[in-house]
Amino acid sequence: MSQCANGTGQVNGVNQGTGTDPKIANAPVNKYFCNIMNAMGVKAGADGFPAKGGSAEVTHFGYSDKTEDFIGGKGKVAGATIHNPGRFTELRAST
């Protein structure tokens, strides 16, 4: 509630007070999503993003994988991108 704008119940996404402090949670959620999608059989296009009819492993999801890039929303931080594509190898299911 401390982040809601003027008691409206709407989160103020521009304030740096939203999100998780990178000192506490520094693993990008995008990598977890890549693991989950690959485990479920989702395929990616040539760019690594999930795509209908894709044939490659999913390596990209979202617009960035750095907590700092999310301040203010998409397009607010110059250079926001997937900096470290792929999944967590430690979480890959063995066959």
Side-chain angles (χ1 to χ4, degrees):
M1 292 303 292
S2 68
Q3 299 303 316
C4 291
N6 302 322
T8 63
Q10 299 293 318
V11 173
N12 174 359
V14 177
N15 185 323
Q16 208 170 5
T18 59
T20 304
D21 186 327
K23 293 184 294 266
I24 297 169
N26 56 15
V29 70
N30 307 61
K31 288 189 171 292
Y32 291 108
F33 285 126
C34 288
N35 279 89
I36 292 167
M37 286 186 276
N38 287 315
M40 292 176 60
V42 174
K43 296 295 182 187
D47 60 0
F49 285 94
K52 186 174 183 177
S55 60
E57 181 178 276
V58 176
T59 60
H60 290 68
F61 183 76
Y63 67 89
S64 181
D65 56 358
K66 289 178 73 177
T67 302
E68 297 86 356
D69 288 350
F70 290 102
I71 298 168
K74 186 175 183 179
K76 297 294 182 180
V77 175
T81 187
I82 303 295
H83 302 275
N84 185 11
R87 56 180 163 65
F88 286 116
T89 55
E90 302 88 351
L91 297 178
R92 186 172 186 172
S94 59
T95 55

